[in-house]
Amino acid sequence: MSIALADVEAARRAIAGHVVDSPMLAAPKLSALTEASVFVKYENLQVTNSFKERGAFNKLISLSSAQRGRGIIAMSAGNHAQAVAYHARRLGIPATIVMPLTTPFVKIEATRGYGGEVVLEGETIAEAQVRAEAIARERGLTWVHPYDDDLVMAGQGTIALEMLEEIPELDMLVLPVGGGGLIAGNAVAARALKPSIEVIGAEAALYPSMWNAVHGDHRPIGGPTLAEGIAVRNVGKLALPIVRQLVSEIILVDETHLERAVNAYLTLQKTMAEGAGAAGLAAMLVRPERFHGRKVGLVLGGGNIDPRILASIMVRELEREERIVSFRLTIPDRPGVLGQIATRLGQLGANILGVDHRRLFLDVPAKGARLDVTVETRDRAHGEEILSALAIEGYQPARIEAATTME
């Protein structure tokens, strides 16, 4: 392996006072949700809201005066970009960051705000890397790779040192997996300090790059994912042998469970997590039996989520829980009916969110109409109660699936 515990301990000394020693707290509500004993390391509370600061600073502080003067280059979907730009400005190092065109706007603007020169290129991290390598050759810039670098991996591994100091009885660490820098650094540290601990990876199902590399599999890679921060096609050459040796399992997480995890952090823990940052919790939701009754340490890796996406996730989760219900009524087309239905829904305790009155369907009598209504309910049972009451009163309610209402 290219790094050892001593490298992680050296990284901890190097970054001390420059990176937040983030809090690690028990999460009783997540414990109840997963039937495990869950502790969360809040790396979303770093200045740039991501663990990436640890590895970035450890790399930057190692550069010579000549390297600092020429400047650095990195490629990133957002969090590494912000971390590099922020600490490069603090150290007086010019920074150029190549980001995919698909990067959320909030991350692009944040990187520019920290003083980085942003170059947008390609649809994926791999395409951004090609451009970054070309710029590095042209300008003689020092490469600061987001994961395939010993100093970066060692910096990320300082998280495990802090976690096990606080909660030494942890049975498992569950960590997001992209290129492998985070999980490799932390696996080295955690397994050296406590050989019995299990290190579990959580990888986006649409980007099973590490899964394929470890298992010799050829699952397809690609597609729009909420976890763009770990959506990589190529894993780190330095990280891969560490993962093979020290990581017990990689769990693939689908988009629905990523959404559920982001929503759980927001509604239960009152903290923001982006898709990649919530991947560890998503893995626990995918495979709850794997973690039942165990003491589990989660790393909330980052909180840089687009507010529009976060709002959409919250609404979609309310629909999954049937706390938002849409249905279609067949009604007589005469004055006062809309008012009667609105009054009736109020009596039933429903909060009306939207109404669409339609007269032109051919399967509705000429003196009739269709009424699409979206309401907020207390829970699934309350929604059923409302629909039953409307059916008894002759309105023939028919549910409209969530996917239809989102169009």
Side-chain angles (χ1 to χ4, degrees):
M1 296 187 295
S2 61
I3 64 170
L5 177 61
D7 300 300
V8 180
E9 291 173 333
R12 190 177 188 185
R13 292 190 293 271
I15 70 176
H18 299 279
V19 172
V20 174
D21 187 343
S22 60
M24 185 173 180
L25 303 172
K29 292 180 180 178
L30 296 185
S31 298
L33 177 67
T34 60
E35 297 187 349
S37 183
V38 178
F39 300 84
V40 178
K41 181 72 165 167
Y42 288 90
E43 285 295 291
N44 62 335
L45 297 181
Q46 298 291 344
V47 173
T48 61
N49 306 112
S50 162
F51 75 89
K52 290 287 189 176
E53 287 191 32
R54 296 172 181 266
F57 187 84
N58 194 44
K59 175 68 174 181
L60 294 177
I61 201 68
S62 74
L63 301 182
S64 68
S65 296
Q67 289 173 317
R68 295 187 189 197
R70 285 193 300 270
I72 59 169
I73 190 162
M75 55 86 174
S76 168
N79 289 338
H80 181 65
Q82 293 172 69
V84 168
Y86 171 65
H87 286 292
R89 183 172 66 179
R90 292 181 62 231
L91 296 170
I93 304 172
T96 302
I97 317 292
V98 183
M99 308 179 79
L101 292 164
T102 53
T103 303
F105 183 72
V106 64
K107 295 186 178 183
I108 295 171
E109 286 305 293
T111 302
R112 287 176 173 149
Y114 291 125
E117 175 194 343
V118 175
V119 176
L120 297 176
E121 178 74 23
E123 295 295 313
T124 66
I125 285 287
E127 293 172 2
Q129 180 171 347
V130 172
R131 178 67 183 280
E133 289 172 344
I135 295 173
R137 289 190 297 269
E138 292 166 8
R139 302 186 193 173
L141 306 179
T142 297
W143 183 251
V144 181
H145 199 281
Y147 51 84
D148 206 16
D149 182 287
D150 288 337
L151 289 166
V152 170
M153 290 193 299
Q156 320 302 29
T158 59
I159 296 172
L161 297 184
E162 295 171 12
M163 294 177 78
L164 286 172
E165 277 185 6
E166 293 230 15
I167 314 291
E169 63 271 23
L170 288 174
D171 299 316
M172 294 177 165
L173 298 183
V174 188
L175 300 156
V177 178
L182 173 67
I183 197 167
N186 283 280
V188 166
R191 295 291 301 277
L193 292 173
K194 186 175 182 179
S196 64
I197 197 168
E198 283 196 88
V199 179
I200 308 292
E203 188 169 40
L206 289 174
Y207 287 82
S209 303
M210 187 64 77
W211 170 281
N212 284 346
V214 169
H215 295 280
D217 206 347
H218 302 282
R219 296 189 180 215
I221 297 172
T225 177
L226 183 62
E228 76 282 339
I230 54 174
V232 303
R233 293 179 179 274
N234 302 304
V235 301
K237 294 178 182 177
L238 300 173
L240 179 56
I242 298 174
V243 172
R244 282 178 171 152
Q245 184 171 339
L246 298 180
V247 174
S248 299
E249 183 178 2
I250 296 171
I251 296 174
L252 299 179
V253 294
D254 57 67
E255 296 302 300
T256 297
H257 285 92
L258 285 167
E259 289 185 27
R260 286 187 60 200
V262 169
N263 185 73
Y265 270 123
L266 184 64
T267 58
L268 299 180
Q269 296 305 111
K270 311 305 179 187
T271 191
M272 289 181 64
E274 60 191 88
L281 177 58
M284 295 187 72
L285 298 176
V286 169
R287 294 270 304 282
E289 74 288 349
R290 182 72 169 83
F291 307 95
H292 182 81
R294 309 293 294 278
K295 286 185 171 63
V296 180
L298 294 178
V299 177
L300 199 176
N304 293 309
I305 188 168
D306 188 322
R308 179 182 61 84
I309 298 298
L310 183 60
S312 174
I313 288 170
M314 293 177 68
V315 171
R316 288 161 63 90
E317 196 62 26
L318 288 172
E319 290 185 321
R320 289 190 183 102
E321 295 172 356
E322 296 190 28
R323 292 169 59 193
I324 292 180
V325 180
S326 297
F327 49 86
R328 178 168 291 164
L329 306 178
T330 301
I331 63 172
D333 189 14
R334 62 172 184 260
V337 173
L338 284 177
Q340 293 171 11
I341 292 173
T343 298
R344 185 64 181 123
L345 288 171
Q347 293 169 346
L348 292 167
N351 182 33
I352 299 174
L353 301 178
V355 175
D356 187 9
H357 193 218
R358 301 165 181 256
R359 289 184 172 86
L360 301 180
F361 287 114
L362 293 178
D363 61 344
V364 178
K367 292 186 178 182
R370 286 279 174 81
L371 186 68
D372 291 350
V373 183
T374 300
V375 300
E376 183 180 12
T377 69
R378 294 188 296 272
D379 51 32
R380 182 175 283 106
H382 185 209
E384 293 297 333
E385 176 188 333
I386 292 167
L387 291 174
S388 296
L390 294 174
I392 291 170
E393 292 167 24
Y395 292 116
Q396 305 173 44
R399 280 185 179 273
I400 302 174
E401 294 300 323
T404 304
T405 64
M406 295 297 289
E407 291 178 354

